mmCIF file of all heavy atoms in Angstrom:
data_model
loop_
_atom_site.group_PDB
_atom_site.id
_atom_site.type_symbol
_atom_site.label_atom_id
_atom_site.label_comp_id
_atom_site.label_asym_id
_atom_site.label_seq_id
_atom_site.Cartn_x
_atom_site.Cartn_y
_atom_site.Cartn_z
ATOM 1 N N ILE A 213 -1.918 5.560 11.693
ATOM 2 C CA ILE A 213 -2.399 4.963 10.436
ATOM 3 C C ILE A 213 -1.394 3.914 9.944
ATOM 4 O O ILE A 213 -1.750 2.794 9.589
ATOM 5 C CB ILE A 213 -2.616 6.062 9.364
ATOM 6 C CG1 ILE A 213 -3.778 6.967 9.782
ATOM 7 C CG2 ILE A 213 -2.861 5.444 7.991
ATOM 8 C CD1 ILE A 213 -3.904 8.231 8.936
ATOM 9 N N VAL A 214 -0.122 4.299 9.979
ATOM 10 C CA VAL A 214 0.924 3.383 9.504
ATOM 11 C C VAL A 214 0.996 2.147 10.398
ATOM 12 O O VAL A 214 1.042 1.009 9.908
ATOM 13 C CB VAL A 214 2.289 4.105 9.445
ATOM 14 C CG1 VAL A 214 3.423 3.110 9.260
ATOM 15 C CG2 VAL A 214 2.285 5.124 8.310
ATOM 16 N N MET A 217 -1.752 -0.273 9.680
ATOM 17 C CA MET A 217 -1.528 -1.056 8.444
ATOM 18 C C MET A 217 -0.498 -2.161 8.681
ATOM 19 O O MET A 217 -0.670 -3.295 8.226
ATOM 20 C CB MET A 217 -1.045 -0.133 7.321
ATOM 21 C CG MET A 217 -2.106 0.820 6.815
ATOM 22 S SD MET A 217 -1.403 1.905 5.582
ATOM 23 C CE MET A 217 -2.885 2.641 4.910
ATOM 24 N N TYR A 245 7.965 -3.979 7.055
ATOM 25 C CA TYR A 245 6.717 -3.623 6.370
ATOM 26 C C TYR A 245 6.650 -2.137 6.000
ATOM 27 O O TYR A 245 5.740 -1.730 5.298
ATOM 28 C CB TYR A 245 5.509 -3.967 7.259
ATOM 29 C CG TYR A 245 5.261 -5.452 7.375
ATOM 30 C CD1 TYR A 245 5.732 -6.164 8.468
ATOM 31 C CD2 TYR A 245 4.562 -6.138 6.379
ATOM 32 C CE1 TYR A 245 5.523 -7.532 8.570
ATOM 33 C CE2 TYR A 245 4.347 -7.497 6.476
ATOM 34 C CZ TYR A 245 4.826 -8.191 7.570
ATOM 35 O OH TYR A 245 4.606 -9.546 7.657
ATOM 36 N N LEU A 246 7.586 -1.340 6.519
ATOM 37 C CA LEU A 246 7.509 0.114 6.297
ATOM 38 C C LEU A 246 8.695 0.616 5.476
ATOM 39 O O LEU A 246 9.853 0.344 5.809
ATOM 40 C CB LEU A 246 7.502 0.847 7.652
ATOM 41 C CG LEU A 246 7.612 2.380 7.582
ATOM 42 C CD1 LEU A 246 6.432 2.985 6.816
ATOM 43 C CD2 LEU A 246 7.703 2.968 8.989
ATOM 44 N N VAL A 263 11.262 21.759 -7.423
ATOM 45 C CA VAL A 263 10.277 21.925 -6.340
ATOM 46 C C VAL A 263 10.133 23.397 -5.935
ATOM 47 O O VAL A 263 9.375 23.727 -5.021
ATOM 48 C CB VAL A 263 10.624 21.067 -5.092
ATOM 49 C CG1 VAL A 263 10.643 19.598 -5.449
ATOM 50 C CG2 VAL A 263 11.937 21.498 -4.447
ATOM 51 N N ALA A 272 16.151 16.694 2.431
ATOM 52 C CA ALA A 272 15.689 15.332 2.125
ATOM 53 C C ALA A 272 16.836 14.328 2.243
ATOM 54 O O ALA A 272 16.654 13.224 2.776
ATOM 55 C CB ALA A 272 15.085 15.303 0.721
ATOM 56 N N GLU A 296 15.494 17.058 -19.354
ATOM 57 C CA GLU A 296 16.505 16.786 -18.336
ATOM 58 C C GLU A 296 17.748 16.155 -18.970
ATOM 59 O O GLU A 296 17.664 15.494 -20.007
ATOM 60 C CB GLU A 296 15.921 15.890 -17.257
ATOM 61 C CG GLU A 296 14.911 16.653 -16.414
ATOM 62 C CD GLU A 296 14.648 16.011 -15.089
ATOM 63 O OE1 GLU A 296 15.585 15.479 -14.480
ATOM 64 O OE2 GLU A 296 13.484 16.032 -14.674
ATOM 65 N N LYS A 309 22.686 5.696 -5.030
ATOM 66 C CA LYS A 309 23.216 4.360 -4.695
ATOM 67 C C LYS A 309 24.140 4.461 -3.483
ATOM 68 O O LYS A 309 24.054 3.658 -2.555
ATOM 69 C CB LYS A 309 23.967 3.795 -5.907
ATOM 70 C CG LYS A 309 24.523 2.400 -5.673
ATOM 71 C CD LYS A 309 25.280 1.897 -6.892
ATOM 72 C CE LYS A 309 26.712 2.375 -6.851
ATOM 73 N NZ LYS A 309 27.558 1.778 -7.882
ATOM 74 N N MET A 316 15.472 2.449 -5.934
ATOM 75 C CA MET A 316 15.113 3.724 -6.576
ATOM 76 C C MET A 316 13.906 3.470 -7.473
ATOM 77 O O MET A 316 13.841 2.436 -8.151
ATOM 78 C CB MET A 316 16.260 4.236 -7.453
ATOM 79 C CG MET A 316 17.567 4.427 -6.711
ATOM 80 S SD MET A 316 18.833 5.188 -7.752
ATOM 81 C CE MET A 316 19.352 3.826 -8.768
ATOM 82 N N GLY A 321 7.320 11.979 -16.375
ATOM 83 C CA GLY A 321 6.216 12.866 -16.041
ATOM 84 C C GLY A 321 5.019 12.556 -16.934
ATOM 85 O O GLY A 321 5.145 11.913 -17.967
ATOM 86 N N TYR A 324 -0.929 15.970 -18.807
ATOM 87 C CA TYR A 324 -2.378 16.062 -18.658
ATOM 88 C C TYR A 324 -2.787 17.520 -18.574
ATOM 89 O O TYR A 324 -1.999 18.371 -18.211
ATOM 90 C CB TYR A 324 -2.905 15.227 -17.506
ATOM 91 C CG TYR A 324 -2.365 15.548 -16.137
ATOM 92 C CD1 TYR A 324 -3.207 15.982 -15.125
ATOM 93 C CD2 TYR A 324 -1.024 15.369 -15.837
ATOM 94 C CE1 TYR A 324 -2.729 16.234 -13.858
ATOM 95 C CE2 TYR A 324 -0.545 15.621 -14.575
ATOM 96 C CZ TYR A 324 -1.402 16.056 -13.594
ATOM 97 O OH TYR A 324 -0.919 16.309 -12.331
ATOM 98 N N ARG A 338 9.834 10.843 -27.163
ATOM 99 C CA ARG A 338 10.919 11.534 -26.458
ATOM 100 C C ARG A 338 11.197 10.840 -25.132
ATOM 101 O O ARG A 338 12.339 10.768 -24.679
ATOM 102 C CB ARG A 338 10.554 13.010 -26.254
ATOM 103 C CG ARG A 338 10.443 13.776 -27.568
ATOM 104 C CD ARG A 338 10.618 15.269 -27.355
ATOM 105 N NE ARG A 338 9.563 15.839 -26.542
ATOM 106 C CZ ARG A 338 8.451 16.404 -27.041
ATOM 107 N NH1 ARG A 338 8.264 16.453 -28.337
ATOM 108 N NH2 ARG A 338 7.544 16.922 -26.241
ATOM 109 N N PHE A 357 17.012 -0.680 -8.836
ATOM 110 C CA PHE A 357 15.692 -0.100 -9.098
ATOM 111 C C PHE A 357 14.605 -0.941 -8.440
ATOM 112 O O PHE A 357 14.646 -2.178 -8.481
ATOM 113 C CB PHE A 357 15.424 -0.008 -10.605
ATOM 114 C CG PHE A 357 16.225 1.055 -11.285
ATOM 115 C CD1 PHE A 357 17.283 0.720 -12.119
ATOM 116 C CD2 PHE A 357 15.944 2.391 -11.074
ATOM 117 C CE1 PHE A 357 18.039 1.702 -12.744
ATOM 118 C CE2 PHE A 357 16.691 3.385 -11.686
ATOM 119 C CZ PHE A 357 17.749 3.035 -12.533
ATOM 120 N N SER A 360 10.026 -3.820 -11.765
ATOM 121 C CA SER A 360 10.224 -4.978 -12.620
ATOM 122 C C SER A 360 11.195 -4.581 -13.740
ATOM 123 O O SER A 360 11.078 -3.479 -14.293
ATOM 124 C CB SER A 360 8.881 -5.400 -13.237
ATOM 125 O OG SER A 360 9.121 -6.184 -14.381
ATOM 126 N N SER A 384 -9.176 7.833 -1.854
ATOM 127 C CA SER A 384 -9.019 9.044 -1.031
ATOM 128 C C SER A 384 -10.338 9.289 -0.312
ATOM 129 O O SER A 384 -11.274 8.492 -0.431
ATOM 130 C CB SER A 384 -8.684 10.251 -1.923
ATOM 131 O OG SER A 384 -9.840 10.620 -2.662
ATOM 132 N N ASN A 396 -9.283 12.269 -13.771
ATOM 133 C CA ASN A 396 -10.336 12.575 -12.813
ATOM 134 C C ASN A 396 -11.679 12.342 -13.485
ATOM 135 O O ASN A 396 -12.340 13.276 -13.908
ATOM 136 C CB ASN A 396 -10.173 14.031 -12.355
ATOM 137 C CG ASN A 396 -11.047 14.337 -11.178
ATOM 138 O OD1 ASN A 396 -11.708 13.436 -10.640
ATOM 139 N ND2 ASN A 396 -11.075 15.587 -10.770
ATOM 140 N N SER A 402 -17.194 2.110 -3.661
ATOM 141 C CA SER A 402 -16.587 0.882 -3.134
ATOM 142 C C SER A 402 -15.632 0.317 -4.185
ATOM 143 O O SER A 402 -15.722 0.642 -5.380
ATOM 144 C CB SER A 402 -17.663 -0.168 -2.816
ATOM 145 O OG SER A 402 -18.244 -0.631 -4.018
#
Side-chain angles (χ1 to χ4, degrees):
I213 293 169
V214 167
M217 290 177 168
Y245 288 98
L246 172 61
V263 299
E296 289 199 38
K309 181 181 86 172
M316 303 186 283
Y324 59 118
R338 295 202 296 266
F357 288 108
S360 160
S384 72
N396 191 5
S402 69

